[in-house]
Structure formats: C-alpha cells, structure tokens
C-alpha cells in the first residue's frame, strides 16, 4: 500500500490508521506548500487534487478520507479499528463523515484557504473568523454528543479517533484555539499512542 500525503494535512489520519494496522506501507510526498497537488503527475493519480490517496496493492486507487478510513478498518479487522456491529459501524461512519465533510472544510479550510470562499480579498479575514467560530461550534457539538469514554465510540478505539485527531491537532497545535476539556484529553491520549507518534514523525510533524 502507498499513502499519498502532505505534512500537516488531513492525510495524517490515514497515516495513523496505517501505523495502528502495522502492515507495510510506503509514503509518497505530495507537498501542498509547493502546490504539488496541481501537477499532472498527481492529477493522474487523483483528478480531485487532494490528499489523502491510498494506492492499494492491487493497483486500485482510493480517495476521500472517510472511504479510505473505512476500507482500512474493515479490511484489517484484527487491528480492532472497525466494529463488527452494524449500528456501531453506522455511528462510526457518521462521526468520520462529520469530521471530513463538515468540520474540516467549513471549520478549517475556511481558516487555511480563505481565498477559496470569497472572490474579494478584503473579505478573507472575515472568512477566517467565520471558520474559527464554526470550528468552535463543531467541537462543542462533538463534546455534547460524546458517547464514548477516552475514545470517541463507546466500543473503544476506532477510525473515528484518527479522524478526530487531525482536526483537534489543527485546533490546538496549529491555530491555538481552545477546545472542550474532553477533546483536549482525547488529543493527549492520541499523542500518547506509539502509532500516532510514528505517523507524526514520518510526516515531519511535531506535537
Ligand atoms: N474530501 C476530501 C478532502 C481532502 C482535502 O481537502 N485535503 C486537503 C489537505 S488537508 C488537500 O489535499 N488540499 C489541497 C487543495 O485543496 O488544493 C477528503 O475528505 O479526503
């Protein structure tokens, strides 16, 4: 398997999952800061121009964080990241999708790529502000609807934790915004996991 990633990007969630699974994998750098997502070589791999991308051993390419996380969790059940019960599966996917489909783009892409949300450069500061407010609201919702204990899901550690990890990491370590105590504790618990430490080190990220 090969993960196309960029340091500091959401792809770190998939990297964490790969490290938890412990199967051999390669990393392919797609440096977003150098605009590598726009190169014809990368567009040939993912026409959507985004990381993460997972190239499977059978040559199939998977895109979208939710789909990749699901695939890895379900394909390697022995790693224990994907529940067996259908209700638990649906709840887990709902959580991952909330992170990938709402928290990431509305809360953080607004802050990191404000120019994509307004044609008027003078409005970009307002877009960033809006992203901060939205992100704070999303973390409040996650806190208020938390069903697990240390980990997001009541049945234990799962792909949902890897998904929460990248947005809480951005919030606390990159943007410096306060998050509810439970989410701060979750980040601390994640940072204590050897798989997370390996993923951060390999991605050139430091906690
Ligand atoms: N819907 C995609 C979005 C992934 C995404 O936005 N990735 C960012 C990095 S965190 C990216 O590749 N951005 C490059 C760009 O937008 O030009 C997913 O959930 O996988």
């Amino acid at each position: 398997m090969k993960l196309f990633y960029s340091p500091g990007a959401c792809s770190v969630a998939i990297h964490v999952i790969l490290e938890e699974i412990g199967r051999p994998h390669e990393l392919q750098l797609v440096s977003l800061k150098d605009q590598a997502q726009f190169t014809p070589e990368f567009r040939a791999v993912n026409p959507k121009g985004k990381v993460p991308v997972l190239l499977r051993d059978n040559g199939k390419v998977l895109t979208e964080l939710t789909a990749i996380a699901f695939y890895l969790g379900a394909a390697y059940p022995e790693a224990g990241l994907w529940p067996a019960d259908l209700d638990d599966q649906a709840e887990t996917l709902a959580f991952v999708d909330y992170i990938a489909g709402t928290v990431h783009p509305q809360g953080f892409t607004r802050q990191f790529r404000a120019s994509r949300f307004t044609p008027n450069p003078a409005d970009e500061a307002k877009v960033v502000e809006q992203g901060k407010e939205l992100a704070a609201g999303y973390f409040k919702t996650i806190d208020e609807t938390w069903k697990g204990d240390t980990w997001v899901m009541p049945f234990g550690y799962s792909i949902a934790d890897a998904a929460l990890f990248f947005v809480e990491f951005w919030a606390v370590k990159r943007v410096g915004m306060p998050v509810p105590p439970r989410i701060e504790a979750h980040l601390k618990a994640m940072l204590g996991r050897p798989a997370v430490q390996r993923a951060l080190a390999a991605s050139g990220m430091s906690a």
Side-chain angles (χ1 to χ4, degrees), residues 122-202:
D123 287 339
E124 286 178 22
K126 279 188 224 152
V127 172
V128 171
E129 211 40 54
Q130 201 179 33
K132 283 189 180 148
E133 280 165 24
L134 286 168
Y138 299 143
F139 283 121
K140 187 165 178 283
T141 300
I142 291 168
D143 182 51
E144 287 169 355
T145 56
W146 193 274
K147 295 191 184 114
D149 186 6
T150 301
W151 309 121
V152 174
M153 292 292 152
F155 58 82
Y157 188 71
S158 73
I159 61 169
D161 295 290
L164 178 57
F165 174 66
F166 80 86
V167 287
E168 68 194 6
F169 187 93
W170 282 347
V172 174
K173 304 285 182 186
R174 184 160 163 185
V175 178
M177 65 178 277
V179 291
R182 199 195 323 251
I183 292 174
E184 211 172 304
H186 182 265
L187 174 60
K188 200 167 164 223
M190 288 299 288
L191 292 172
R193 293 184 75 90
V196 174
Q197 291 162 7
R198 287 196 299 274
L200 288 174

Side-chain angles (χ1 to χ4, degrees), residues 16-93:
V16 165
I17 294 171
L18 284 167
E19 286 292 343
E20 296 283 5
I21 287 170
R23 287 294 184 100
H25 57 269
E26 291 170 53
L27 296 173
Q28 176 71 53
L29 175 65
V30 181
S31 175
L32 299 184
K33 79 173 167 39
D34 298 322
Q35 315 273 315
Q37 74 271 40
F38 300 115
T39 60
E41 292 76 19
F42 182 62
R43 290 281 166 155
V45 177
N46 182 8
K48 293 181 271 191
K50 308 274 185 195
V51 294
V53 176
L54 186 74
L55 174 61
R56 290 167 50 197
D57 291 339
N58 64 5
K60 288 191 178 167
V61 169
L62 254 186
T63 63
E64 301 299 328
L65 188 139
T66 305
I68 301 170
F70 157 71
Y71 167 77
L72 288 171
Y76 301 98
E78 63 281 5
L81 303 176
W82 182 244
D85 177 78
L86 183 61
D87 284 348
D88 289 344
Q89 292 177 351
E91 291 280 347
T92 305
L93 270 188

